[in-house]
Amino acid sequence: MLSELTEAMIVNGVVLATVLATDLGPARKISKIRLLRPVIAAAVIIPFFVDWPATHGMALAVEIAGVAAGLLAGLAASTLMGVYRSPATGQPVSRAGLPYAIFWTAIIGARAAFSYGAGHWFSAPLVTWGIAHQVSVAALTDGLIFMAITMILVRTDAEPVPSGPAGRP
């Protein structure tokens, strides 16, 4: 059985590698599989890494906060990606460069730092807070996983597909 820290680091690595591999570049083809890839990743991640989600109390609030943070971060990421029709093929393509890569690396790096810090730097205060608010390690981990999944799903869903030639409506 993997530790929560190991699980979090695996999810962080999968999310970052998937996003950067599929999105970086000046003219990345937007295909059905590219749009389905985040859904497939979520379908793989959830059964392996998410415990039974909380249904009440502060644990539920932590998981909802993860979804909200993922929503906001996904929308922010989508503003750093342009979508246009390729002049050569007329098909939709996307462009994402260094600012996009830096944004995703910073978000995933912050998530990794929090995960590591929870086990090494500030574990005692976090445990005290968790006990006082009835938030388990599993609920905290689920909140981080929900953030990652929501972020990649929203980033994908927020990609507008241009309707006219060369990106003109």
Side-chain angles (χ1 to χ4, degrees):
M1 184 164 162
L2 300 175
S3 73
E4 285 84 7
L5 177 60
T6 302
E7 288 178 0
M9 294 305 179
I10 289 170
V11 170
N12 287 335
V14 168
V15 169
L16 185 60
T18 299
V19 167
L20 295 182
T22 59
D23 292 347
L24 282 184
R28 299 302 300 247
K29 181 181 173 186
I30 299 175
S31 64
K32 287 180 185 178
I33 190 66
R34 181 171 170 201
L35 296 176
L36 286 175
R37 190 173 290 125
V39 176
I40 294 167
V44 169
I45 289 170
I46 289 174
F48 284 108
F49 297 110
V50 174
D51 284 342
W52 194 258
T55 58
H56 65 282
M58 191 61 137
L60 176 60
V62 166
E63 292 173 352
I64 291 171
V67 171
L71 175 69
L72 294 174
L75 289 172
S78 70
T79 66
L80 299 172
M81 177 188 292
V83 177
Y84 64 98
R85 289 204 181 271
S86 168
T89 65
Q91 298 298 313
V93 294
S94 67
R95 102 175 45 95
L98 186 59
Y100 186 82
I102 290 170
F103 178 81
W104 275 93
T105 303
I107 292 288
I108 299 299
R111 287 170 38 82
F114 177 82
S115 296
Y116 183 83
H120 295 89
W121 301 325
F122 48 84
S123 56
L126 188 59
V127 168
T128 301
W129 177 86
I131 291 169
H133 294 92
Q134 298 179 338
V135 176
S136 67
V137 170
L140 200 56
T141 302
D142 290 352
L144 290 171
I145 292 170
F146 292 157
M147 177 194 175
I149 291 168
T150 303
M151 193 173 168
I152 60 173
L153 291 173
V154 167
R155 182 264 311 153
T156 300
D157 192 48
E159 284 184 24
V161 179
S163 58
R168 290 184 291 278

